[in-house]
Amino acid sequence: MSTLTATPARPAPRLRTRRHHSVARPRRSPLLTVLTALVLVYSLVPLAWLLINATKTQEDLFSSFGLWFGGSFSLWDNVVATLTYDDGVFVRWFGNTVLYVVVGAGGATFLAILGGYALAKFDFPGKRGVFALVIGAVAVPGTALAVPTFLMFSQLGLTNTPWAVIIPSLISPFGLYLMWTFASEAVPGELLEAARIDGAGEFRTFFRVSLPLLAPGIVTVLLFTMVATWNNYFLPLIMLRDSSWYPLTLGLNAWNAQAATAGGEAIFNLVITGALLTILPLVAAFLLLQRYWQSGLAAGSVKE
C-alpha cells in the first residue's frame, strides 16, 4: 500500500506594488520646492527691507544695516511726518490715486464686464474682427501708446487734468479678453435660454442670472486693473505738470528727487515710509478678495 507524501506548499510570489501618488499625497519635487523658496525670498526681501527701514530715522538709514533695525524705532514719527509734510500733500496724492482707481479701474472693469459678456453670449457680424482687434490690443504695450495719447489729449485741452489719467485707464483690452473667456465658460447658454423662456428680458437676465456667476471673474479683472492704475507712473508723468494732481507714484518720485536739486531737502525716510503706506491698500485688497480671485482662476478647470 503506497503512502502519499504531502509536498510543502511553495510561498506565494511577492507581487511588486507600485507606489501611487494620490491627489491627497502628491509627489514632492525638491527642485520645485527650491525654486518656490527662491521666488518667495525674492518677493519678501524687498518688503522686509521696506518695513524695517520705515522704522529708521534719516541718520539711521545711512549708519545701520539695511535688513536690520536702527538705534531708534521711529515708525510712528515717520508716518506722522509723511502725512503732514508740505501741508499734507501726501494725503492729496493718496486721494488722487484713489480717484483714479475708483473711476478709472472701476470703469474699466464695468466696460470689460459688459463687452466680455456681449462677445461671449451674442452673435453679430464682425465678431471675428473684434476678436482679432482685442488680441492685437493686448499685445501692444501701454508705453507705446503714451505719446500718441498725449498728442491727442493736448489737442483736446485735457492734459494736466485728472481726465488725462482717467480716460486712458478706462480701456483694458486684457480685462475685456479675460471677461470674454470667463463668461463663455461660467454662464451656461441653457440657463440663459431658461430665463428667457420664463419671460425675463436681457437686462434682467444679465443682472439677476449672469452677474452672480461672473463674480469671480469680475474680482479678478478688478484686481488687475486696480493694480495697474495704482502703480501707473509713465502716463501721469507725461500728462500732468501740476503736482496737486500727482498720484502717489509720481509724488514719491518727486520727493526722492529733492535731494538732487539745488537747495532741496533730503527726506529719504519719508519716501520709504510713503512707499510702505502706498502698498498697504493693495495688500489689503488682495487679502480681502483672495477667495474670489482664487475661485475665478480655477473656474472652468474641471470638465463635467
Side-chain angles (χ1 to χ4, degrees), residues 19-21 29 77 157 187 198 205 215 275 297:
R19 187 177 181 182
H20 296 281
H21 298 276
S29 173
D77 294 335
V187 183
D198 291 339
T205 302
L297 294 177

Side-chain angles (χ1 to χ4, degrees), residues 15-173:
L15 299 178
R16 294 181 178 180
T17 59
R18 291 183 177 181
R19 187 177 181 182
H20 296 281
H21 298 276
S22 62
V23 177
R25 299 182 60 184
R27 183 177 180 180
R28 296 181 179 179
S29 173
L31 178 61
L32 183 60
T33 303
V34 172
L35 292 177
T36 305
L38 291 177
V39 172
L40 183 64
V41 171
Y42 178 79
S43 303
L44 293 182
V45 166
L47 295 178
W49 182 92
L50 187 64
L51 180 60
I52 292 173
N53 286 273
T55 64
K56 299 179 181 179
T57 61
Q58 182 85 357
E59 293 76 15
D60 290 339
L61 285 175
F62 300 98
S63 61
S64 61
F65 180 59
L67 289 177
W68 194 246
F69 298 93
S72 59
F73 189 83
S74 305
L75 177 61
W76 178 248
D77 294 335
N78 288 337
V79 171
V80 173
T82 302
L83 298 178
T84 58
Y85 182 80
D86 196 10
D87 296 328
V89 69
F90 182 87
V91 179
R92 176 64 184 267
W93 293 339
F94 186 88
N96 294 338
T97 306
V98 172
L99 173 66
Y100 300 149
V101 168
V102 171
V103 181
T109 304
F110 180 71
L111 294 177
I113 295 168
L114 297 181
Y117 176 78
L119 291 170
K121 296 304 174 183
F122 295 96
D123 292 325
F124 53 89
K127 187 174 180 179
R128 290 181 177 271
V130 174
F131 177 78
L133 183 63
V134 171
I135 295 299
V138 172
V140 176
T143 54
L145 302 175
V147 174
T149 304
F150 171 77
L151 296 176
M152 181 177 63
F153 275 62
S154 62
Q155 293 294 328
L156 297 174
L158 294 177
T159 56
N160 203 30
T161 65
W163 297 110
V165 180
I166 293 175
I167 294 178
S169 301
L170 293 174
I171 309 302
S172 176

Side-chain angles (χ1 to χ4, degrees), residues 139-276:
V140 176
T143 54
L145 302 175
V147 174
T149 304
F150 171 77
L151 296 176
M152 181 177 63
F153 275 62
S154 62
Q155 293 294 328
L156 297 174
L158 294 177
T159 56
N160 203 30
T161 65
W163 297 110
V165 180
I166 293 175
I167 294 178
S169 301
L170 293 174
I171 309 302
S172 176
F174 177 74
L176 176 61
Y177 176 74
L178 189 61
M179 284 304 305
W180 185 350
T181 56
F182 184 83
S184 300
E185 299 293 334
V187 183
E190 296 81 2
L191 189 62
L192 299 180
E193 291 296 331
R196 291 162 183 161
I197 292 174
D198 291 339
E202 294 298 336
F203 284 99
R204 185 178 180 184
T205 302
F206 174 73
F207 286 103
R208 298 294 297 273
V209 178
S210 302
L211 200 60
L213 298 176
L214 296 175
I218 293 172
V219 173
T220 304
V221 174
L222 179 62
L223 284 175
F224 278 113
T225 55
M226 183 181 68
V227 171
T229 307
W230 192 277
N231 295 331
N232 196 0
Y233 173 78
F234 188 66
L235 182 64
L237 178 64
I238 65 174
M239 289 290 186
L240 302 176
R241 297 187 307 272
D242 187 359
S243 61
S244 61
W245 289 115
Y246 280 1
L248 287 171
T249 52
L250 216 56
L252 292 177
N253 182 69
W255 276 4
N256 188 52
Q258 282 187 190
T261 59
E265 180 184 6
I267 49 172
F268 297 118
N269 59 326
L270 302 189
V271 174
I272 294 174
T273 307
L276 178 64

Side-chain angles (χ1 to χ4, degrees), residues 215-224 226 281-299:
I218 293 172
V219 173
T220 304
V221 174
L222 179 62
L223 284 175
F224 278 113
M226 183 181 68
L282 293 180
V283 174
F286 269 87
L287 293 178
L288 292 175
L289 302 176
Q290 182 182 15
R291 59 191 184 98
Y292 298 103
W293 187 42
Q294 289 178 343
S295 62
L297 294 177

